[in-house]
């Protein structure tokens, strides 16, 4: 308390004397309106997100119903060690990383390109039709999407016919270790590219028309306008989204992989999430599942912190 | 500014509701109405086809007889996701009904949440009668530590095996071949099915000689080619994860040379293009619809199913007949077996359980007792007397055909009753004439009776459902099984489609050993021994 | 010279246009065909769909799937519930998220890094299902409609970051300083200047929240047991599952199975259309805010 008091006092002084560095405390009075604006969000997140966090310690304890979540026996890193020593650990990590990295490499640029292309269309009606169409697949539920893939890509379906037409007829798109990742990633792009491009389109709409005008006056070609006007306009969004994406590098879409799994692609399709699901269902291994989850989170979070640092150093854009 | 006043208003209301609501949270205690009827709450895990419980006459009667009025919550999907939160939150209704809705693992984990029914057994004479008549039901119901948390079911009429093998006899006639009796003969027949126009529609390419149900990644189930293990002398029974019994010893076929023989055989068939190309990727609905062919034209030659009309539809079913177990070759053993599923089909664990917080435990137990009454049990399984069952008045009953012509007997049963999902005891002394579907199914089972007569039902059948493991052992086993199946099922698929089993077999065995399959067997054997001594 | 360069430019523009429109047509077909497939599959015989005979036009046309879906009386109630949760929920989401995002975009706000971290932390770390369930139980939100509106996703941090990034790069620092000199406080500046300038991002965030509420299935599944207040998605899933079982038959002894087989998948595809159409209608309204120049126009106007 004393410290805070001192701070406020000194901030009162700064007005008269030489400018001192602003801190959270001495600007509080000045920014009270800003605090009021953000307070509801802080309260909401505090209640609904932070209060349950005591549950994280389950990863270090045995689950004991009668003693409550925080009352079980402390077992430290037992479950982390169990996971790392698991026979499947290496395969799970490899599959998870391969799938999520491919998803980012292919799936991240796609909506950016789409947004730039859509923005180039001059015919308003065509633009609207295309935009509405590509955004539609986002609403198809995963169960149905996988069902459609089964019908379309099966050897006797359209996909299978195309494959045999190009001389790859003996590859079953749905049941091959080689095709699992491409099929997974491309269907993902197909489903979300339109939806994900919305945010870039919104950013593009904020470009000052005067910039376009002056670029035209300078005789810039359309390609040059894209490169020098539009891409810089959406760069902050791109960087922020990239940082966030990197922070999910060892997470994959559970449900879709689970539904696409079959015994033929299992060597490549078993990922951390599906494995946690299986051990969670067969026996109530709450602590083990919590430990694997936390392991996942820690890796993701450190990647996010690292990416954020990198972005800050190179482009001065950062999350915090 | 308006927007902000609005915002704070909303937030204020929110805080207010939270505060206001937390005051009156405990209003849902069970209570009695004026006429002494006890109010209870319950969850029923019903089959998706099952109609609303409000329409079930027999249920209303059972509640009335027990003097209770139950508020039902009906669940037919995603139970596992909901269950954990509900149990961990201690937020359960008075009764939970459904097949293994709460597992032994849950009882062990959530100690104190469920009522030990032993304490209330005096109010449930019907349950006692059941335990007296069938000792194995008491074994199923009793936890390792002696409590009874969940009560079992016994539905008596279900066949020995869920899986039968069917072959299309019209096709056999068309290609001029006899019913195969060995694997080699089956191979020849399937080749003929493929090469000739077996279904006679002018197209030689649309026949699928051999098809089986989609195989999951967690182990085998019904309608899978593991039944061919019967040809090698193994009796598959509840053997999704490969465990089986032989002369009182537990083994696992995933590490058995005889399983390798089956896989080698399947691989030969696959290489010759005799197995459905999509066998590893198709969905169950496709598996079903393919076999129902195209009008009068059959598509599949040899396959597995539950019952003829169920598998092939009314139009095509007459073309198919069940086939006896095959010998591996002419000179191989005569000790043929077949999958034995009688236990899982007729018995079920933890069909109904009571919350320890129930205020009116006696009333709840009275209701449970009512469900195990012989006549009520019959209605639990088949539907109300009058609508689904005819009472002949002399203590005999018969199951009526569906009142709705568009439905088959099976669907009708699932719609009108709790069917296989309910707690029940169909006593061996009950005189009930079954519906046509069940009769036909049991008739088709004839082909396997020889095999069963050779099977020692105690020493050669793995009685998975009767073994009650301690929680720790159960956890260890299931964790290992998850890892083991991950390897074994992937290898199965790979070996069938690509071959190469000869080269990889030894390395595979090593892996199974290090992953702990022998340890699991060692852990399970004492439980099995104990079971054998108990049923003596 | 000038004629030359003009000609060259238009030539390259022509190539550019060909490239752009070519890409668009390919993309359009790649997306549109599977969607068309869903539509024709929802009115065709399921067996023919499964065997790959339905490619361009419906076969054995029937509206059975839709009839079955809409004959379920719960569906209208589900629609009503979802509309209520989506509008109320989105309003609350926006009221919490947008002001917070604005505050976090102010460089002079000293707590911004700390608070940003406070929010981002929750994207990664959470207590898990069980503690959250216990919290909801303690707050008496279980089995009430409020659980759809106040839950751990009420402030979606992803949306918060998007909005903040947008404010940071479109509302220059100097703008507030200028307004402050005129005696404008933060409340006024935010509501009268920032919000009108941010229609594009507001509509995006609103759309994100709206679609989240529309598709939200998990909240109803875990926290709600009273079927009267379940949202549309839960009810559609129930319909879907009961019909799927018809198709499977095994063990249920579906003897003739004709009904089952033919229509199970029709319902599956019908459900997509029934559940998606209402959200589609909203999109064009949002879209107009993405048109170039909206923002600048509103400043001048």
């Amino acid at each position: 308390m004393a410290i805070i008091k001192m701070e406020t006092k000194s901030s009162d002084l700064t007005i008269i004397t030489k400018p001192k560095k602003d801190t959270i405390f001495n600007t509080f009075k000045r920014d009270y309106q800003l605090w009021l604006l953000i307070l509801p969000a802080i309260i909401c997140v505090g209640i609904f997100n932070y209060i349950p966090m005591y549950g994280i310690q389950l990863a270090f304890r045995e689950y004991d119903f009668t003693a409550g979540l925080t009352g079980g026996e402390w077992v430290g890193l037992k479950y982390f060690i169990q996971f790392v020593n698991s026979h499947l650990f290496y395969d799970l990590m490899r599959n998870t990383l391969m799938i999520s990295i491919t998803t980012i490499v292919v799936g991240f640029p796609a909506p950016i390109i789409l947004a730039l292309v859509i923005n180039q269309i001059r015919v308003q009606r065509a633009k609207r039709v295309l935009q509405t169409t590509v955004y539609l697949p986002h609403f198809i539920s995963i169960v149905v999407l996988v069902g459609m893939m089964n019908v379309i890509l099966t050897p006797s379906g359209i996909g299978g016919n195309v494959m045999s037409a190009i001389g790859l007829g003996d590859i079953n798109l749905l049941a091959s270790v080689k095709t699992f990742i491409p099929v997974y990633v491309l269907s993902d792009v197909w489903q979300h590219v339109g939806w994900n491009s919305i945010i870039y389109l919104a950013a593009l709409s904020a470009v000052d028309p005067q910039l376009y005008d002056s670029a035209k006056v300078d005789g810039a070609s359309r390609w040059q306008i894209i490169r020098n006007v539009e891409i810089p306009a959406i760069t902050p969004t791109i960087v922020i989204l990239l940082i966030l994406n990197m922070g999910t590098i060892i997470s994959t879409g559970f449900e879709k992989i689970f539904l696409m799994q079959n015994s033929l692609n299992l060597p490549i399709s078993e990922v951390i999430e599906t494995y946690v699901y299986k051990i969670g269902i067969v026996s109530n291994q709450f602590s083990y599942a919590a430990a694997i989850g936390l392991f996942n989170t820690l890796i993701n979070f450190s990647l996010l912190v690292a990416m954020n640092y990198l972005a800050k150093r190179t482009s001065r854009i950062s999350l915090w | 500014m308006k927007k902000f006043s609005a915002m704070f208003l909303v937030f204020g209301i929110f805080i207010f509701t939270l505060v206001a609501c937390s005051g009156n949270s405990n209003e849902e205690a069970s209570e009695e109405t004026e006429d002494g009827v006890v109010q209870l709450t319950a969850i029923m895990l019903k089959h998706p086809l099952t109609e609303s419980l409000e329409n079930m006459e027999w249920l209303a009667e059972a509640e009335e007889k027990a003097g209770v009025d139950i508020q039902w919550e009906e669940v037919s999907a995603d139970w596992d996701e909901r269950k954990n939160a509900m149990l961990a939150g201690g937020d359960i209704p008075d009764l939970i009904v459904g097949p293994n809705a709460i597992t032994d693992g849950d009882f062990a984990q959530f100690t104190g949440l469920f009522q030990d029914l032993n304490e209330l057994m005096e109010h449930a004479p019907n349950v006692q009668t059941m335990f007296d008549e069938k000792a194995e039901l008491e074994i199923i119901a009793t936890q390792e530590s002696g409590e009874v948390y969940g009560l079992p079911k016994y539905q008596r009429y279900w066949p020995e095996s869920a899986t039968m093998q069917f072959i299309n006899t019209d096709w056999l006639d068309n290609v001029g071949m006899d019913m195969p009796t060995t694997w080699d003969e089956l191979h020849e027949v399937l080749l003929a099915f493929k090469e000739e126009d077996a279904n006679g529609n002018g197209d030689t390419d649309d026949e699928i000689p051999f098809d089986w149900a989609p195989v999951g990644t967690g182990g085998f189930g019904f309608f899978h080619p593991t039944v061919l293990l019967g040809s090698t002398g193994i009796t598959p029974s509840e053997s999704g994860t490969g465990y089986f019994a032989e002369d009182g010893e537990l083994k696992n076929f995933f590490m058995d040379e005889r399983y390798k023989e089956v896989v080698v055989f399947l691989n030969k068939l696959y290489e010759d293009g005799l197995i459905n190309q999509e066998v590893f990727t198709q969905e169950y609905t496709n598996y079903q619809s393919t076999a129902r062919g195209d009008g009068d034209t059959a598509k599949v030659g040899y396959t597995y199913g539950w019952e003829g009309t169920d598998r092939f539809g009314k139009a095509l079913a007459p073309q198919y007949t069940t086939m006896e177990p095959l010998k591996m070759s002419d000179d191989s053993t005569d000790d043929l077996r077949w999958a034995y599923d009688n236990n899982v089909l007729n018995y079920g664990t933890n069909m109904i359980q009571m919350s320890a917080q129930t205020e009116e435990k006696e009333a709840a137990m009275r209701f449970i007792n009512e469900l195990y009454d012989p006549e009520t049990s019959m209605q639990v399984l088949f539907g109300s007397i009058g609508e689904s069952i005819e009472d002949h008045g002399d203590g005999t009953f018969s199951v009526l055909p569906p009142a709705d012509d568009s439905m088959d007997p099976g669907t009708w049963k699932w719609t009108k009753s709790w069917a296989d999902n309910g707690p029940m005891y169909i006593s061996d002394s009950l005189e009930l004439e079954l519906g046509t579907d069940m009769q036909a199914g049991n008739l088709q089972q004839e082909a396997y009776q020889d095999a069963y007569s050779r099977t020692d039902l105690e020493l050669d059948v793995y009685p998975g459902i009767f073994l009650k493991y301690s929680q720790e052992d159960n956890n260890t086993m299931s964790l290992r099984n998850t890892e083991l199946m991950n390897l074994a099922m992937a290898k199965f698929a790979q070996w069938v489609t690509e071959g190469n089993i000869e080269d990889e077999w030894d390395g595979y065995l090593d892996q199974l050993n290090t992953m702990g399959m022998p340890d699991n067997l060692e852990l399970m054997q004492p439980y099995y021994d104990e079971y054998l001594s108990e049923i003596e | 010279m000038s004629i030359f360069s003009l000609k060259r430019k238009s030539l390259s523009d022509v190539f550019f246009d060909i490239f752009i429109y070519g890409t668009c047509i390919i993309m359009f077909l790649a997306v549109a065909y599977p969607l068309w497939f869903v539509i024709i599959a929802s009115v065709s015989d399921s067996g023919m769909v499964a065997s790959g005979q339905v490619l361009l036009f419906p076969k054995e046309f029937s509206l059975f799937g839709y009839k079955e879906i809409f004959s379920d009386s719960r569906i209208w109630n589900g629609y009503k519930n979802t509309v209520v949760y989506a509008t109320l929920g989105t309003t609350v989401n926006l009221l919490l998220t947008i002001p917070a995002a604005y505050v976090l975009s102010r460089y002079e706000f000293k707590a911004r890094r700390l608070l940003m971290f406070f929010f981002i932390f929750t994207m990664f770390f959470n207590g898990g299902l069980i503690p959250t369930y216990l919290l909801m139980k303690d707050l008496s939100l279980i089995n009430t409609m409020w659980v759809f509106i106040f839950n751990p996703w009420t402030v979606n941090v992803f949306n918060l970051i998007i909005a903040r990034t947008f404010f940071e790069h479109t509302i220059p620092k100097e703008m507030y300083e200028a307004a402050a000199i005129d005696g404008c406080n933060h409340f006024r500046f935010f509501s009268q200047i920032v919000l009108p300038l941010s229609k594009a991002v507001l509509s995006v965030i609103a759309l994100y929240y709206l679609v989240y509420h529309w598709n939200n299935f998990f909240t109803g599944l875990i926290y709600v047991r009273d079927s009267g207040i379940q949202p549309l998605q839960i009810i559609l899933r129930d319909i879907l599952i009961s019909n799927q079982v018809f198709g499977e038959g095994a063990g249920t002894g579906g003897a003739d199975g004709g009904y089952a087989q033919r229509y199970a998948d029709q319902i599956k595809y019908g459900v997509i259309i029934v559940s998606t159409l209402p959200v589609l209608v909203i999109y064009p309204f949002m879209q107009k805010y993405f048109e170039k120049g909206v923002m600048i126009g509103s400043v001048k106007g």
Side-chain angles (χ1 to χ4, degrees), chain B residues 101-117:
Chain B
I102 306 296
T103 63
D104 291 347
D106 295 328
F107 292 137
Q109 185 134 45
F110 301 100
T111 5
L113 201 52
F114 292 95
Q115 173 66 33
D116 180 2
L117 300 176

Side-chain angles (χ1 to χ4, degrees), chain C residues 38 66 91 115 136 222:
Chain C
V38 172
Y66 292 100
T91 315
L115 286 176
M136 295 301 203
I222 302 289

Side-chain angles (χ1 to χ4, degrees), chain A residues 86-87 150 154 156 270 284, chain B residues 106 109 278 283 479 483 486:
Chain A
S86 150
H87 296 279
N150 282 337
T154 199
S156 61
E270 186 81 312
N284 307 345
Chain B
D106 295 328
Q109 185 134 45
E278 290 161 22
E283 290 178 57
L479 260 188
E483 290 188 356
N486 201 289

Side-chain angles (χ1 to χ4, degrees), chain B residues 140-158:
Chain B
I140 297 188
T142 312
Q143 301 298 316
E144 222 218 350
S145 43
E147 294 92 350
V148 171
Y149 293 120
L151 291 175
K153 71 164 180 188
Y154 175 65
Q155 59 189 77
R156 180 183 159 191
Y157 292 110
W158 265 245

Side-chain angles (χ1 to χ4, degrees), chain B residues 397-426:
Chain B
F397 303 88
S398 52
V399 177
L400 292 169
D404 179 347
D405 287 339
S406 68
M407 274 193 218
D408 59 85
T411 310
W412 178 251
K413 179 195 88 177
W414 283 102
T415 310
K416 287 295 174 183
S417 68
W418 284 356
D420 303 20
N421 286 9
M424 71 191 93
Y425 175 58
I426 308 293

Side-chain angles (χ1 to χ4, degrees), chain A residues 219, chain C residues 1-12:
Chain C
M1 270 301 277
S2 65
I3 297 167
F4 244 89
S5 72
L6 202 76
K7 215 175 173 183
R8 216 175 52 209
K9 221 167 84 184
S10 66
L11 198 70
S12 83

